[in-house]
Amino acid sequence: MSNGTLFVVATPIGNLGDLTDRARSLLREVDVIAAEDTRRTGTLLSAIGSSVPSLSLHEHNERARIPELLARLEAGDDVALVSDAGTPLLADPGYRLVRAAAQAEHVIRAVPGASAITAALSVAGLPTDRFLFVGFLAAKRGARREAITALARETATLVLFEAPHRIADTLADLADVLGAERPGWVGRELTKQYESHLRGPLGELAATFAAGREPARGEFVVVVAGAQGGGDTALLEADALLRALLEELPASRAAKVAARLTGGRRGDLYDRALELAAAAD
């Protein structure tokens, strides 16, 4: 008996019509489906007339499930791996299973399809020659701002996911750390009935959500332009340094230290430190 195949199957991010014919056929024909949430996948399977049994595979049980799924592959069963929506492993569980299957020399096949990442990039109107997917930023403000500061010098377009109850705060932090004029785009409920797109400077996007002019409901993808040019990078570096120093020092001392470390003008850095301190308050 030959070993089975592990199929990594992309499912729709909203619109059922985005399920490919190949994925539809496989989800009817494999022996078992490993699903992030069997209830959500069950709705999809019912819609396409599939009676294939499914078992859960999520971040809390993936390690424990791997031996069972490897045994099924060894016995000749074909296994489909799916996430709640989109392409598995992209901000979803599954990489441990794929890695284990590869180490066991099982056949692994991609069944490509919908992805919120590529869907957002295709309509955001920002450069796509280089992009960096950063997933979800930290929930706590301090850790989130630290992560954004680490990305300030990145020249690739940034793509991130965000929860509805944090979208306003995250946009505010992005605008504050990266600059209010940095171009951005926010997509809500992509491919679904209430899909919406907003594009503009980060400061304007943040203000829109802060004022409640856009509903903070559904699933969000945020795309942000990368840092442009050496001058912008130098300013971003100085801002990041000043923010860190202002946590421990008054503005005058922070400017003095920053001038020593960056070679910038102390007066300019002091003025900027005052602006950053006022914004933080």
Side-chain angles (χ1 to χ4, degrees):
M1 178 185 297
S2 60
N3 290 351
T5 298
L6 173 63
F7 294 98
V8 183
V9 183
T11 56
I13 59 176
N15 192 317
L16 183 61
D18 293 334
L19 185 69
T20 68
D21 289 341
R22 182 182 175 208
R24 186 184 300 266
S25 296
L26 278 168
L27 292 176
R28 291 170 175 166
E29 298 169 358
V30 295
D31 297 289
V32 65
I33 297 170
E36 183 179 3
D37 184 331
T38 55
R39 292 169 297 181
R40 290 191 61 171
T41 297
T43 301
L44 172 64
L45 297 179
S46 177
I48 66 173
S50 172
S51 59
V52 173
S54 62
L55 52 81
S56 63
L57 182 89
H58 47 72
E59 59 179 333
H60 301 297
N61 75 349
E62 186 174 359
R63 293 182 188 276
R65 283 288 192 203
I66 287 174
E68 175 185 353
L69 291 168
L70 292 182
R72 296 197 67 153
L73 290 167
E74 189 72 27
D77 285 350
D78 288 332
V79 177
L81 169 65
V82 300
S83 61
D84 286 350
T87 302
L89 279 72
L90 302 182
D92 287 325
Y95 86 88
R96 292 186 180 90
L97 172 61
V98 171
R99 180 179 61 186
Q103 291 173 342
E105 299 185 349
H106 292 298
V107 176
I108 305 169
R109 294 288 182 263
V111 185
S115 166
I117 300 167
T118 53
L121 284 167
S122 72
V123 295
L126 292 170
T128 57
D129 54 329
R130 289 183 64 247
F131 68 90
L132 175 64
F133 174 56
V134 296
F136 286 90
L137 295 174
K140 293 185 177 181
R141 185 169 185 262
R144 182 170 61 241
R145 289 174 67 88
E146 183 178 345
I148 296 171
T149 298
L151 294 167
R153 298 169 56 187
E154 176 57 61
T155 57
T157 296
L158 305 175
V159 184
L160 60 103
F161 294 160
E162 193 48 277
H165 62 283
R166 288 197 299 267
I167 185 65
D169 290 340
T170 292
L171 287 170
D173 288 339
L174 286 167
D176 186 32
V177 176
L178 302 183
E181 297 305 313
R182 180 84 73 97
W185 175 91
V186 179
R188 184 174 74 88
E189 294 287 86
L190 295 182
T191 78
K192 300 176 185 177
Q193 181 179 359
Y194 298 105
E195 175 174 355
S196 65
H197 302 183
L198 288 176
R199 50 175 60 83
L202 288 175
E204 292 183 9
L205 295 174
T208 294
F209 280 90
R213 293 193 295 270
E214 180 73 11
R217 295 191 299 271
E219 297 177 330
F220 289 90
V221 185
V222 179
V223 183
V224 180
Q228 301 295 313
D232 288 345
T233 298
L235 289 173
L236 290 168
E237 288 177 335
D239 277 5
L241 176 59
L242 284 170
R243 286 191 179 91
L245 292 170
L246 286 168
E247 293 179 3
E248 306 293 338
L249 300 171
S252 58
R253 291 273 297 165
K256 181 178 180 180
V257 174
R260 187 185 312 134
L261 294 174
T262 66
R265 291 181 57 192
R266 182 175 175 180
D268 293 341
L269 290 167
Y270 176 64
D271 291 341
R272 182 56 178 158
L274 291 176
E275 292 175 0
L276 294 174
D281 291 340

